Amino acid sequence: MDTPNPTTNGTPTAATATNGTTHHATDAAPAPITTMSPYTFPIDKLRQRLTRPGKTPLVLVACGSYSPITVLHVQMFSMAERHVESSAQQRPAGEQHGAVDFEVVGSYLSPVSDAYKKPALAAAHHRLAMCELAAARTDIMVDPWEALRCDANTGEPVYTSTVDVLRHVDCEINRDGGIETSDGLGRVKAQIVLLMGADVAATMGDPKLWPTSDVDAILGQYGAFVIERPMQTLIDEALASLHKYDDKIWVVAAFENDVSSTKIRAQLKNGERVLDLAQPVYEYIKTNDLYHEETGHAKTNGVVQ
């Protein structure tokens, strides 16, 4: 996940819902929001029934630019799932509350929209395609909702906050009561959590990047699985300003690595061999000529975004 844009994660406190879409209250009537193409929430890889009794279904959601998606972005999900499976009970960072017995039932990638303007951002349809290629042989689903949201009047892409993505997934997964129990006799609400690297968690204490109300909702209501990134930031430093949410933060140990989309764009710029991209993603980038060799910036039909 890339570090958030200050305007991307901001969420006004008041909101109303129309046709399942959240619109935030402002002084003027909000513009209606729709998607650029017909949208259906992906459930093809969702495990709709628990395999063991007494478990709490867990859904992992990772938000980011994915320009391009790296092998680490994909590996984060398997790291988190191994962490869940490694113990009968998963204790959050603070351990002051009771442990939760999770079972992962769903994993989602949510790429940002083109409204998240920065030179390194390839067009949304390219990033969605690369995510689909990277996730093809995994249990990960790509949710295009955030990437495709637009102003219904102008067709222009709109910003969507991370907390609104989590609310969207929560609504879709739990609208009918959640996931079936292992005996098939009932349903239990799934726990939706944000999956992110420690480098992103380290930014959440900055109200200029993450409004306090958003952090309260993300970490207070939903929670997060935080993947260690020891070459970018120390986990204790990353979570230093987030201790009030310790009961909703689970730290996942990871090997040392310096994989990042920024590094990969630099390698593409320099014509180096890129080992941290899935081969189909690398081939897609080359076929579609997505990044300028001179700058590493993204291209849209040969034009810098």
Side-chain angles (χ1 to χ4, degrees):
M1 181 192 295
D2 289 343
T3 302
N5 183 304
T7 58
T8 300
N9 289 286
T11 304
T13 54
T16 57
T18 304
N19 296 326
T21 301
T22 302
H23 306 287
H24 297 290
T26 60
D27 292 337
I33 294 174
T34 186
T35 54
M36 297 176 189
S37 58
Y39 169 79
T40 301
F41 182 70
I43 58 170
D44 52 304
K45 300 178 185 178
L46 179 67
R47 303 166 199 169
Q48 300 193 46
R49 183 169 177 170
L50 290 166
T51 62
R52 289 165 289 177
K55 299 287 185 178
T56 296
L58 182 71
V59 174
L60 304 165
V61 181
C63 302
S65 298
Y66 304 120
S67 187
I69 185 168
T70 72
V71 293
L72 182 59
H73 288 134
V74 174
Q75 289 171 352
M76 285 172 63
F77 288 93
S78 57
M79 290 177 191
E81 188 156 4
R82 284 197 299 270
H83 178 81
V84 167
E85 293 172 349
S86 67
S87 172
Q89 293 182 322
Q90 296 79 42
R91 294 190 178 277
E95 295 191 338
Q96 67 267 49
H97 292 270
V100 181
D101 211 354
F102 288 129
E103 179 179 334
V104 176
V105 297
S107 299
Y108 288 91
L109 285 164
S110 180
V112 300
S113 80
D114 289 340
Y116 189 99
K117 295 184 182 295
K118 64 179 183 180
L121 194 69
H125 70 278
H126 285 310
R127 292 182 288 110
L128 287 168
M130 288 188 286
C131 285
E132 290 285 2
L133 288 169
R137 296 185 179 182
T138 73
D139 291 332
I140 301 169
M141 291 163 281
V142 181
D143 185 4
W145 181 78
E146 179 183 1
L148 296 178
R149 293 184 82 213
C150 64
D151 185 299
N153 296 322
T154 66
E156 291 296 312
V158 298
Y159 291 116
T160 301
S161 66
T162 297
V163 68
D164 273 354
V165 173
L166 296 178
R167 287 170 177 153
H168 158 71
V169 175
D170 189 2
C171 177
E172 294 288 353
I173 297 289
N174 290 314
R175 66 168 68 250
D176 295 320
I179 303 300
E180 282 190 18
T181 54
S182 59
D183 58 12
L185 298 179
R187 290 184 175 273
V188 58
K189 184 177 180 180
Q191 178 72 46
I192 314 299
V193 301
L194 180 64
L195 177 65
M196 61 180 168
D199 53 326
V200 176
T203 70
M204 297 187 83
D206 186 346
K208 295 179 181 178
L209 295 177
W210 297 85
T212 302
S213 59
D214 279 29
V215 177
D216 282 341
I218 293 169
L219 298 181
Q221 178 181 354
Y222 293 106
F225 272 58
V226 179
I227 308 293
E228 289 185 333
R229 299 204 67 183
M231 295 187 72
Q232 280 76 24
T233 183
L234 297 176
I235 191 65
D236 289 343
E237 294 178 3
L239 302 181
S241 63
L242 304 175
H243 285 311
K244 65 181 288 188
Y245 309 106
D246 275 351
D247 61 324
K248 284 292 188 71
I249 296 175
W250 289 265
V251 175
V252 180
F255 56 89
E256 290 195 8
N257 65 79
D258 62 348
V259 180
S260 70
S261 295
T262 301
K263 175 186 174 184
I264 286 172
R265 289 191 299 268
Q267 291 174 322
L268 290 168
K269 169 188 170 184
N270 295 330
E272 300 174 21
R273 184 181 179 191
V274 181
L275 300 177
D276 297 319
L277 288 175
Q279 187 63 28
V281 174
Y282 177 74
E283 291 173 358
Y284 185 93
I285 289 171
K286 302 306 289 184
T287 299
N288 291 276
D289 194 22
L290 293 187
Y291 298 98
H292 284 282
E293 293 180 0
E294 297 83 4
T295 64
H297 289 180
K299 290 182 180 179
T300 301
N301 297 323
V303 179
V304 179
Q305 292 202 154

